[in-house]
Amino acid sequence: MILPDAVVLCEVGPRDGLQNEARAVPTQVKVELINRLSQAGFRSIEVTSFVHPRWIPQLADADEVMRRIERRPGVVYSALVPNERGLERALRAGAGGVNVFLSASETHNRKNINKSISETYPVLEPVVRTAKAEGLPVRGYVSTAFGCPYEGRVPVEQVVQVARRLVEMGVDEVSIGDTIGVAVPMEVTALVEALAAVVPLERIALHFHDTRGTAVANIAAGLRAGVRRFDASIGGLGGCPYAPGATGNVATEDVLYLLHRSGVDTGIDEERVGETADWLERALGRPLSSHASAIRRGRCGDGAAGAENEGGEGR
Ligand code: HMG
Ligand code: MG
């Protein structure tokens, strides 16, 4: 099997993670999280989203977060943007990348952004055009690519069709979202093969939620299928409030373990990410769900660390 020497990880915790927190997270914690992530070596961080604050109150401080973060050279500080109003706000706040989104299934699209799929394209087209004219990198998410919380299975052709439209609009990259965490590795292989007919492999990213514990295996499948860009969220935070039953994103630390142990470089300092996850647990006042966090807390047997952990509870 041929694995790449390196891949790009996009850290989506500050947006996809924090959009789903039950308790309000102080702006200063968000800013510090993003600063710590860029210091750990991430080159792509989704900072926040400029959606309607009534729809996602957790990120109502998007403007302030985007303005206050430290900017390190070479890092893309992107934001989720649903429409031209969101783009205006993102540009004013200094977003360094624009991420548009829609779903491959009609019902989730309507519940999430209040429009049918065909009504959404004309909303996104001017956003992509203006963001490109401003010289910003643009990513397009295709949500519910492996399953919809309202419609169940989503046909591969529907996902390919939405991805094709995004590429025709001019996005640089398409991120394929398993919003509710239902995918298994065989489906990942099949979908990537079908997508490769309309999107070059180097412009495909995979975005997994880990509801059923399949996300790390799905990343391994994506890697073997030739994908080189993956999304992850520190501590496994995350979820879409308009996708009932879905849990967090795949945890960044667990993806780093998979990649680094497989000899695939990310440019990210795993230890610093671990320290940041510990800090975040304290800041949020609750344990994070990643395997790595459980191991660090000694709750899970892992070689020498496990042997030292008398009375470890397992997991
Ligand atoms: P709407 O109510 O249909 O909006 O919501 P509208 O266009 O009819 O406008 C109504 C009012 O909202 C107007 O104000 C607009 O100006 C204002 P008024 O004239 O009445 O005073 N407005 C805005 N204000 C601030 N910022 C904006 C904005 N847009 C309009 N951007 C809308 C449509 C898209 C805004 C709404 O449905 C929305 O914000 N939805 C966001 C839902 C969301 O963020 N979901 C989670 C992210 S997606 C996800 O997590 C999946 C992903 O991770 C991938 C995966 O896992 O698969 C990406
Ligand atoms: Mg997501």
Side-chain angles (χ1 to χ4, degrees), residues 260-274:
H260 292 171
R261 196 169 164 108
S262 308
V264 179
D265 188 26
T266 60
I268 295 160
D269 182 335
E270 215 171 321
E271 210 171 301
R272 283 187 94 151
V273 175

Side-chain angles (χ1 to χ4, degrees), residues 237-275:
L237 294 177
C240 173
Y242 298 97
T247 59
N249 292 78
V250 65
T252 305
E253 307 95 292
D254 298 338
V255 177
L256 289 174
Y257 177 79
L258 169 83
L259 294 171
H260 292 171
R261 196 169 164 108
S262 308
V264 179
D265 188 26
T266 60
I268 295 160
D269 182 335
E270 215 171 321
E271 210 171 301
R272 283 187 94 151
V273 175
E275 287 161 12

Side-chain angles (χ1 to χ4, degrees), residues 105 144 146-154 180:
S105 58
T144 62
F146 295 91
C148 171
Y150 308 100
E151 296 175 19
R153 279 179 188 268
V154 175
I180 55 170

